[in-house]
Amino acid sequence: MKISTKGRYALRMMIEFGMNPESCTKISQVAARQGISDKYLEQIVTLLHKAGYVRSIRGPQGGYMLTRPPEEYTVGMILRQTEGSLSPVSCVEDGALPCHRAAQCATLTVWQQLKDAIDSVVDHVTLADLIEEQRQKPDSNLM
């Protein structure tokens, strides 16, 4: 399983918004700092806005802001919003109908363990954790 650019860029954009929680951040600012197309970021921010993760402010000082404190977002929330399911195979997705081969499937346990491991990581790392990590990186003042 690979996380697409959509999921990776969504996390980078949310970190940018979280680094400046009291002010709006323009998509053009994120695009310039991150080296990402502003058109692509606009598509991604639409998904985050529809989920209620960010709000937009109009006007010359406008842009986007988080709707909640960074501690209330997990990496899993953001990735699932942009990527969909993070399950390695469809038979272990949440709400999946039982596979007709489940009783004979030697790999089902592996897929379930892999899904559980992925969920454990992405659901326990918060946006606040990533923001703190970003602040420790060189050139974090560029954000």
Side-chain angles (χ1 to χ4, degrees):
M1 175 186 71
K2 284 188 177 182
I3 303 298
S4 73
T5 56
K6 188 184 298 183
R8 296 191 329 257
Y9 293 173
L11 285 171
R12 287 165 58 183
M13 185 166 28
M14 292 290 281
I15 291 168
E16 289 259 359
F17 296 157
M19 294 281 288
N20 303 301
E22 303 302 319
S23 61
C24 291
T25 304
K26 295 181 183 331
I27 293 298
S28 60
Q29 293 170 312
V30 176
R33 285 192 290 257
Q34 295 291 330
I36 303 169
S37 158
D38 57 343
K39 297 287 185 205
Y40 194 32
L41 288 178
E42 288 171 7
Q43 293 174 22
I44 297 168
V45 82
T46 299
L47 296 171
L48 299 171
H49 186 263
K50 284 181 182 174
Y53 294 174
V54 298
R55 65 185 176 116
S56 62
I57 308 293
R58 295 184 180 265
Q61 301 303 316
Y64 289 89
M65 298 177 74
L66 299 177
T67 58
R68 299 180 255 189
E71 297 80 13
E72 294 184 22
Y73 298 92
T74 66
V75 169
M77 290 169 61
I78 298 164
L79 289 177
R80 286 184 191 95
Q81 188 59 41
T82 55
E83 297 287 331
S85 173
L86 300 178
S87 294
V89 293
S90 60
C91 61
V92 295
E93 287 180 359
D94 293 332
L97 296 174
C99 173
H100 70 283
R101 294 194 31 80
Q104 298 84 28
C105 184
T107 60
L108 182 60
T109 302
V110 172
W111 303 136
Q112 187 62 53
Q113 289 173 345
L114 184 56
K115 178 193 180 305
D116 293 344
I118 291 167
D119 288 346
S120 178
V121 171
V122 300
D123 292 336
H124 290 93
V125 177
T126 68
L127 184 58
D129 296 330
L130 295 180
I131 291 167
E132 183 57 34
E133 179 82 18
Q134 184 63 55
R135 287 192 170 121
Q136 304 300 317
K137 300 291 182 186
D139 297 328
S140 66
N141 61 339
L142 295 176
M143 297 189 89

